[in-house]
């Protein structure tokens, strides 16, 4: 059975929010506080919400950081239901976390193990949703998460998770996407394929680290998700979701959509512009191999097959 859940607050999508803004590929406003009026219109904020964003910008005026810009900070504001004071505290905690963990430099200083790139699928697709917003495809069902932790350790996995998120929000693909679409990116859709999931992947070690990763995403990368579509759910998924659902705050939890194997393609057709953009491991009727660079945007791994982590080979 397919279950669809939607949030009762903050349900504006790019289709609705961008109708008040005329987009021009050559005149995308810089994401700076001096252009706040554009982003208020772009996100479709009410007068009260717009004032909250202005207040947040004033509160953060002492912070000199490339993430201190309206199209980013609005996500922190949304996650705190437009309470500027709470959003400020959350943002300052994020800036501290980035400094302490040297996150700003990770795309330049860290080279992920090739085995993780090959066997831990998660990349931005060239395809888009119905209104042109980006889609990230992950395949937790074929990912040896426990094996990754065993070989690379909790800290090694967390570092790779940070790297993936930074590539997602700061990668070279973003400028190309924005120039092609003539507007800034607001949020991403997530498709997570859990076919192949089994109880052996639901160990205490896995759930503990997965919880930490999800908390990191919600604290330091809030409201990046537009919709989270979990596909090909096996019977054991109900048990796993009974644990995992407690890892998400109400705003993120309300974005989940679930589809069993028989209904996966029909559900994806409701959200994607065309399912022909999916690799054959997701859409068996498609023509794109799982390792084809034609599937993903520039700089993203085209590998979606996953696989067991080799514990005998050095990491």
């Amino acid at each position: 059975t397919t279950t669809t859940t939607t949030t009762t607050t903050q349900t504006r999508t790019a289709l609705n929010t961008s109708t008040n803004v005329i987009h021009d590929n050559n005149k995308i406003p810089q994401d700076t506080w001096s252009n706040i009026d554009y982003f208020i219109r772009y996100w479709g904020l009410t007068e009260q919400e717009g004032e909250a964003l202005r207040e947040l910008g004033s509160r953060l005026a002492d912070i000199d950081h490339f993430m201190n810009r309206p199209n980013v900070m609005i996500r922190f504001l949304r996650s705190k239901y437009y309470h500027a004071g709470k959003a400020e505290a959350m943002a300052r905690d994020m800036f501290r976390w980035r400094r302490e963990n040297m996150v700003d430099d990770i795309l330049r200083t860290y080279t992920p193990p090739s085995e993780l790139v090959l066997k831990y699928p998660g990349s931005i697709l060239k395809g888009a949703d119905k209104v042109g917003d980006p889609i990230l495809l992950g395949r937790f069902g074929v990912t040896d998460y426990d094996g990754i932790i065993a070989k690379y350790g909790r800290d090694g996995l967390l570092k790779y998770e940070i790297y993936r998120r930074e590539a997602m929000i700061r990668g070279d693909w973003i400028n190309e996407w924005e120039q092609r679409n003539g507007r800034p990116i607001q949020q991403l859709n997530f498709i997570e394929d859990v076919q192949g999931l089994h109880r052996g992947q639901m160990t205490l070690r896995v759930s503990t680290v997965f919880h930490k990763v999800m908390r990191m995403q919600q604290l330091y990368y809030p409201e990046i998700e537009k919709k989270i579509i979990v596909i090909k759910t096996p019977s054991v998924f109900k048990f796993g979701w009974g644990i995992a659902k407690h890892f998400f705050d109400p705003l993120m939890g309300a974005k989940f959509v679930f589809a069993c194997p028989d209904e996966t393609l029909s559900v994806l057709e409701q959200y994607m512009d065309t399912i022909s953009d999916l690799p054959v491991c997701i859409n068996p009727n498609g023509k794109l191999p799982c390792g084809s660079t034609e599937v993903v945007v520039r700089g993203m791994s085209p590998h979606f097959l996953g696989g067991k982590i080799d514990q005998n080979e050095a990491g």
Side-chain angles (χ1 to χ4, degrees):
T1 302
T2 302
T3 303
T4 304
T5 55
T6 56
T7 179
T8 56
T9 60
Q10 300 171 293
T11 55
R12 301 178 181 86
T13 66
L15 179 63
N16 296 322
T17 60
S18 57
T19 53
N20 295 325
V21 179
I22 298 175
H23 298 300
D24 185 331
N25 291 36
N26 298 316
K27 297 180 181 179
I28 302 175
Q30 284 190 320
D31 190 1
T32 62
W33 289 106
S34 62
N35 289 318
I36 189 173
D37 289 342
Y38 169 88
F39 290 97
I40 289 174
R41 295 194 307 273
Y42 183 44
W43 283 84
L45 303 189
T46 66
E47 183 177 352
Q48 185 176 4
E49 292 165 350
E51 287 306 310
L53 183 60
R54 294 182 194 280
E55 181 183 345
L56 179 59
S58 296
R59 285 172 174 265
L60 296 173
D62 62 301
I63 300 293
D64 182 14
H65 192 279
F66 64 85
M67 293 285 281
N68 185 14
R69 46 196 171 92
N71 203 43
V72 174
M73 288 300 106
I74 193 171
R75 299 187 187 110
F76 287 78
L77 192 61
R78 284 164 60 94
S79 72
K80 294 302 181 183
Y81 300 92
Y82 294 93
H83 190 292
K86 292 180 179 179
E88 177 197 3
M90 186 183 190
R92 288 186 182 276
D93 188 50
M94 178 270 292
F95 291 125
R96 175 198 54 77
W97 172 79
R98 294 185 70 91
R99 182 177 63 254
E100 292 177 354
N101 293 277
M102 296 180 287
V103 176
D104 291 355
D105 299 323
I106 197 168
L107 294 180
R108 178 177 57 83
T109 61
Y110 171 69
T111 301
S114 58
E115 186 177 35
L116 292 186
V117 176
L118 181 66
K119 295 183 178 180
Y120 187 1
S123 295
I124 305 289
L125 303 178
K126 284 186 176 178
D129 72 3
K130 294 290 187 184
V131 297
D133 288 335
I135 297 172
L136 182 140
L137 173 62
R139 302 192 70 210
F140 192 83
V142 297
T143 300
D144 184 9
Y145 214 74
D146 194 53
I148 294 174
I149 300 170
K151 183 170 183 176
Y152 296 95
R154 187 196 70 167
D155 291 344
L157 174 57
L158 289 175
K159 189 168 187 177
Y160 184 57
E161 293 283 15
I162 294 171
Y163 174 86
R164 295 204 328 165
R165 282 158 181 78
E166 290 297 304
M168 180 175 67
I169 67 169
R170 293 200 286 139
D172 293 337
W173 71 275
I174 292 178
N175 184 61
E176 294 178 2
W177 186 96
E178 292 184 341
Q179 290 301 315
R180 183 173 64 251
N181 288 274
R183 63 184 176 92
I185 291 174
Q186 288 178 313
Q187 293 173 299
L188 309 176
N189 297 276
F190 289 69
I191 298 175
E192 193 65 55
D193 177 13
V194 293
Q195 186 173 45
L197 188 70
H198 54 83
R199 285 183 180 260
Q201 294 168 285
M202 304 176 196
T203 64
L204 177 60
R205 176 165 63 179
V206 168
S207 62
T208 300
V209 176
F210 184 71
H211 181 213
K212 188 174 182 66
V213 171
M214 290 301 100
R215 290 308 302 160
M216 176 185 74
Q217 179 157 328
Q218 291 167 91
L219 289 173
Y220 308 128
Y221 304 92
E223 283 294 287
I224 195 69
E225 318 86 5
K226 178 180 178 181
K227 188 69 67 177
I228 305 166
I229 309 169
V230 184
I231 61 172
K232 301 185 180 181
T233 55
S235 57
V236 74
F237 177 77
K238 184 176 181 180
F239 171 80
W241 181 245
I243 300 171
K245 67 182 180 182
H246 301 292
F247 300 164
F248 306 102
D249 62 34
L251 280 179
M252 189 173 182
K255 296 177 181 181
F256 279 87
V257 175
F258 304 99
C260 65
D262 291 344
E263 297 175 326
T264 285
L265 293 183
S266 62
V267 169
L268 289 176
E269 285 179 329
Q270 297 175 33
Y271 295 95
M272 291 193 65
D273 182 40
T274 171
I275 61 172
S276 63
D277 291 326
L278 292 167
V280 293
C281 50
I282 304 299
N283 176 17
N285 302 318
K287 297 180 180 180
L288 297 173
C290 281
S292 171
T293 55
E294 292 301 310
V295 176
V296 299
V297 297
R298 185 167 69 90
M300 291 282 171
S301 168
H303 303 294
F304 289 102
L305 295 179
K308 293 289 289 184
I309 297 296
D310 187 351
Q311 300 295 332
N312 296 317
E313 185 178 289

